Amino acid sequence: YAPKKGIWVQDALAVMKIIVLLVLIITGIVAATGLTSLPRSNNYQNTMAGTSPDSRAYTSALFGVFFAYDGWNNLVY
């Protein structure tokens, strides 16, 4: 009914999405470089502890993920 208003709304929402994305990126970079006064959590130490280096385990996990996703069935068509 009002194409000009619709275009304006879409443009405004697109700008808001870009601003939010930039804020997230900048916040992540600041947090990763340690420029904040927050203590470091060390969440990423020993991230692979208890995992298997066997390729069969990775293959089995990937097949589980692929078949859990319904779009995998449509991929072969």
Side-chain angles (χ1 to χ4, degrees), residues 6-77:
I7 291 171
W8 184 86
V9 169
Q10 286 183 346
D11 289 345
L13 290 174
V15 169
M16 287 174 44
K17 289 179 190 179
I18 292 171
I19 290 171
V20 169
L21 185 61
L22 288 174
V23 167
L24 285 173
I25 290 170
I26 291 170
T27 304
I29 291 171
V30 168
T33 57
L35 296 175
T36 61
S37 61
L38 299 172
R40 296 185 68 89
S41 63
N42 296 328
N43 288 338
Y44 295 108
Q45 290 186 349
N46 300 325
T47 55
M48 300 300 283
T51 60
S52 172
D54 186 19
S55 64
R56 289 177 291 191
Y58 289 110
T59 305
S60 173
L62 281 175
F63 274 126
V65 170
F66 288 156
F67 285 109
Y69 174 63
D70 192 35
W72 175 256
N73 294 329
N74 296 328
L75 184 65
V76 296
Y77 287 116

